[in-house]
Amino acid sequence: MVNTHRKLILNIYCSAIILPQICICSQFTSSSNDQYNENPGVFPVATNGEQFPWRELRLPTKVIPLHYDLFVHPNLTSLDFVASEKIEVFVQDTTQFIILHSHGLEIMNATLQSEEDLRYKKSGEKLTVLSYPAHQQIALLVPEKLMADLRYSVAIDFQAKLADGFKGFYKSTYRTLGGETRTIAVTDFEPTHARMAFPCFDEPLFKANFSIKIRRESRHIALSNMPKVRTIEHEGGLLEDHFETTVKMSTYLVAYIVCDFASVSGTASSGVKVSIYASPDKWSQTHYALEASLKLLDFYENYFNIHYPLPKLDLVAIPDFESGAMENWGLVTYRETSLLFDPKTSSTSDKLWVTKVIAHELAHQWFGNLVTMEWWNDIWLNEGFATYMELISVNVTYPELQFDNIFLNNCFEVIKSDSLNSSRPVSKQAETPTQIQEMFDAISYEKGACLLNMLKDFLSEEKFKKGIIHYLKKFSYRNAKNDDLWSSLSNSCLESDFTSGGFCYSDSKTTSNTLAFLEENVEVKDIMTTWTLQKGIPLVVVEQEGRLLKLRQERFLNGVFRDDPEWGALQERYLWHIPVTYSTSSSNAIHRYLLTSKTDTLYLPEKTSWVKLNVDSNGYYIVHYEAHGWDQLIAVLNQNHTLLRPKDRIGLIHDAFQLVSAGRLTLDKALDLTHYLQHETSIPALLQGLDYLESFYHTMDRRNISDITENLKRYLLQYFKPVIDMQSWSDEGSVWDRRLRSSLLKLACYLNYAPCIRKATELFSQWMESSGKLNIPTDVLKIVYSVGAQTTEGWNYLLEQYGLSLSGAEKNKILYALSTSKHQEKLIKLIDLGMEGKVIKTQDLASLLYVIARNPKGQQLAWNFVKENWTHLLERFELSSFPMRKIISGTTSHFSSKDELQEVKLFFESLQTQGSYLEIFQIVLETISKNIKWLEKNLPTLRNWLLISI
Ligand code: BES
Ligand code: ZN
């Protein structure tokens, strides 16, 4: 009965949004009817056998929360907590019950009181509590109907064990230098886990104020979103911290921690106190985070022209953390490796990561915390924006990191999955907690960010910035949806613009963006819905005929060829509004044009020998040059690659190899394009090309295609020898010099290049002889460890050091090194340790399986392990969590044979019959099919090309 009903509800929504006009999903679907009385037959059954009065996953809107008084007392010895809360609610419409979220909590008592409703004036009218665990809801039944427009106060006493995993109010442990294990208690709520810590209206739209009190022992401290106002001493020496009331916010942003951490603090220009917390022995690794967070907070406050509204901001390194970080308002929590920086063992890539994560979480303090999406279908408004703001803020605060290159790479990463048919639109209906968790993927984060970057380029940075500030100010302390963003961006007139009918027009002489070239008003929404409600990525096919530039758009599909029978159907009804930009051989100017139809023809201003579309790779589309287009560009690269901008070179390399996967360009042509790389002066471009060549090597190595593996190795070592030999084993140079060094030496040692192995072995021996005290340059540390891990003695020594090291950055490098062993019994030992969760923490299990699966000697082992231990993995992580999805795709998506595809398919089917289904299953299967097809088509070409080239 219950199930049929749920299906019915879900079917109301359209599952695949093909064209923007077809379905714009509604935001708040709860019915305001008192369904209980109308049709009692179809209601679910509560745990006590009575009828549960609410059947939908989303809460009714008749009762809304205004304020929570929350008291929590965790016991870090018995590992449980007792708590109580008083929720002040406002009744919008008469009702007989209040529905709240609650998951795994034991409710001891619930009462109701009201100053405004005389019937409930005397305190403590006891309520009947019903529970419906399938929807993680409880119902509080009131003896007499609550009346509209009145306020009531609900008091609830409850208790639970501190959770085992990483969600709700959970325990985390760490080891001190002295070898003692200590426990802390910490929260992590997003998206739907506040309900594990206290009964609440656990949906983003129900914003309220929170006054939090935490009872603790004197050896601990308590932290929460707001600063502490007072501490009260209780008998038995227990202390109780009272925190200031929060601003209006969603439940998923509430946080509190009881721990014994140490901190460093500083003050931002605006007077906000910023502190970094870590376990006492890691205190010395907190300084970079303080510097970065102060800089970034200053940046955001200036950029948005909106003060960070809280008096303090704490950033805390949590020893057990499932994802990378979480933006709780005023109390941001991080995995240790996302916050701590150890100058002795953290590399420049580690610094980039820490900076990125801090920039991301601080951006959320505005995008997400101040303005929140109405519902999880638009989580990209949080995550896409935070990811986009990383680019804006880091490029200004740490220009030397050249973060725009990292950003571009992330766009390329998401294009890989977005060009599969199993991709999804950026905004997508999500109802169940599993569906909601699945929304936290590269489409929300990276595609969201790349689209915003494209729009910024289209509108001009100035206008875009103005629009988003307007959006942030207008929706502060409230919720927003896609359309709100689009209208803020449409109406963001600049002073130099003139307005008509509520829209602005740019003076084409003063701005160089596309809008300026359009005579009529452009509705941002018309353009952007083609990107957010349609899945996939367009391909712009261009053909130059004299001064004519013929353009055509298609849907770009990786692994589906034009002569495949399904091609036609997969193209139907897709149309984007594409901000096309191009430069030509005859002028450096950026030409702009909005392609809104399937085909169009442009007239070039002058005669030109070549055109390059998608200037600086700012657009989210792939370009194919027909006729002699590619040959001309390859010729330019070979003659003088600097005639093209570095990001255009990167884009050409990327697009060429993507077109190979789509069967539009032959592999030898794409490989020919990389030939100019020995003269490439831009490190990011060189790394882009190297990356493809390296990935081919890995594929061949995994598949044991020894002739190609050998020849590729020879080619790589021959071709890149001069630049490999130039590398020093040091930490000198700019950030990208250092990244190049890490990549090249890693490749060289991986390919067994004798000078590399020799040097790494020498450094490793010295390190062992110094009992791990010798400082090895951080950028080559991972390489030295990996070479050292190839002997049993080295491997064992590294494992020992792993257990002792206090640096997460170093531990990651050691774990990677250990995973590159050729001995299966060693790899099995690592997995056992990961499952045990002591030496190798459970939080690192997903990365461990991922790196073992990258090792040709470990790929089958990791996959077999996942199949055989599926239920054990599910005891540690939720099905749709980040780690679980990483484990699934990490141990399967590199497969490239029909047998492997069949095996993976059967396994996924068996899970489906047990009721587990994830979007990632389809993505993985399609990826493997694509790999198979790639090999079928390109293996002979690669073989021949190598024979000619070496
Ligand atoms: N809001 C997320 C944390 C999160 C992730 C909550 C998944 C629920 C599900 C946070 O802002 C985030 O995006 N963290 C990233 C790091 C970021 C730098 C990309 C993460 O955890 O990977
Ligand atoms: Zn985020």
Side-chain angles (χ1 to χ4, degrees), residues 190 325 327 360-361 364 382-383 386-387 445:
E190 194 183 16
E327 69 266 24
H360 180 102
E361 304 310 334
H364 272 314
N382 274 13
E383 299 303 346
T387 307
Y445 281 75

Side-chain angles (χ1 to χ4, degrees), residues 861-890:
L861 191 103
W863 165 235
N864 288 340
F865 172 82
V866 171
K867 278 191 298 183
E868 284 153 24
N869 292 276
W870 184 254
T871 45
H872 293 127
L873 289 170
L874 280 180
E875 285 159 14
R876 288 160 176 79
F877 309 108
E878 285 180 16
L879 177 70
S880 55
S881 63
F882 265 0
M884 214 54 194
R885 285 180 282 150
K886 181 170 179 172
I887 290 171
I888 296 164
S889 69

Side-chain angles (χ1 to χ4, degrees), residues 448-602:
C450 302
L451 295 181
L452 291 170
N453 183 50
M454 174 169 74
L455 182 59
K456 174 202 67 181
D457 186 56
F458 174 72
L459 294 175
S460 83
E461 175 143 26
E462 206 186 351
K463 189 165 274 189
F464 184 79
K465 177 177 169 185
K466 204 156 178 177
I468 61 174
I469 293 174
H470 179 257
Y471 165 83
L472 284 174
K473 291 196 168 158
K474 180 164 178 194
F475 294 97
S476 283
Y477 304 105
R478 300 201 289 139
N479 299 71
K481 51 188 183 305
N482 279 344
D483 284 356
D484 298 323
L485 174 67
W486 306 145
S487 62
S488 286
L489 284 161
S490 289
N491 294 322
S492 54
C493 305
L494 296 177
E495 257 131 56
S496 57
D497 298 338
F498 51 96
T499 57
S500 162
F503 295 105
C504 26
Y505 295 83
S506 299
D507 179 345
S508 58
K509 286 186 215 78
T510 58
T511 51
S512 61
N513 55 76
T514 318
L515 263 187
F517 293 87
L518 298 166
E519 293 291 306
E520 79 256 41
N521 168 58
V522 173
E523 268 285 19
V524 173
K525 181 180 169 182
D526 290 344
I527 301 171
M528 290 314 289
T529 47
T530 72
W531 298 92
T532 55
L533 301 183
Q534 274 184 136
K535 65 179 179 182
I537 172 166
L539 170 70
V540 175
V541 182
V542 47
E543 192 183 340
Q544 190 194 342
E545 259 182 37
R547 281 182 58 188
L548 288 188
L549 199 60
K550 293 185 182 165
L551 301 179
R552 185 167 87 237
Q553 64 163 296
E554 294 172 9
R555 175 180 177 201
F556 178 76
L557 288 160
N558 201 333
V560 185
F561 300 165
R562 252 195 313 190
D563 43 14
D564 288 342
E566 66 268 36
W567 199 84
L570 290 170
Q571 289 291 333
E572 264 169 37
R573 299 197 297 165
Y574 279 84
L575 184 74
W576 285 267
H577 290 189
I578 309 173
V580 171
T581 53
Y582 60 92
S583 61
T584 71
S585 54
S586 42
S587 100
N588 245 337
I590 303 173
H591 302 268
R592 293 167 185 272
Y593 166 73
L594 188 68
L595 178 65
T596 55
S597 51
K598 275 270 168 200
T599 59
D600 208 348
T601 302
L602 303 180

Side-chain angles (χ1 to χ4, degrees), residues 18 87 185 208 229 319 391 402 539 600 647:
I18 306 282
I87 314 175
V229 268
L391 169 71
Q402 293 185 32
L539 170 70
D600 208 348
K647 287 210 193 73

